[in-house]
Amino acid sequence: LNLLYDLNHSNGFFGLPGGYRYDNGTFYGIGLNGYWWSSFQNTKSTAWNRSLNYESGNTFRSFDDKAYGFSVRCIKD
């Protein structure tokens, strides 16, 4: 999953900072960061994801527990 943030939206993707849900049901980062699952698994219980910082436009790659509630991006082939 490639997340590219562009203030002019010329790449066709605009990610809103929806934050994510912890496995205990609490939320984090709403209005600050957006988090999206990748389709790639890291281990049986973790998967790769990308995050997008709303203020700077910087993107980050990491892996987290699959029990977390991240956003998903569907792309039509």
Side-chain angles (χ1 to χ4, degrees), residues 4-71:
L4 301 175
Y5 180 76
D6 180 343
L7 292 175
N8 297 320
H9 315 297
S10 64
N11 63 12
F13 178 74
F14 179 68
L16 295 175
Y20 69 89
R21 181 191 44 80
Y22 281 110
D23 57 351
N24 67 6
T26 61
F27 289 86
Y28 171 80
I30 296 173
L32 302 173
N33 297 300
Y35 299 84
W36 290 265
W37 285 118
S38 164
S39 59
F40 297 102
Q41 180 172 273
N42 181 49
T43 67
K44 194 173 186 175
S45 62
T46 63
W48 289 99
N49 62 75
R50 294 280 184 162
S51 61
L52 173 61
N53 181 276
Y54 186 68
E55 290 180 356
S56 70
N58 292 331
T59 60
F60 303 94
R61 179 180 179 232
S62 63
F63 59 88
D64 285 286
D65 194 298
K66 292 178 184 179
Y68 286 8
F70 289 5
S71 298

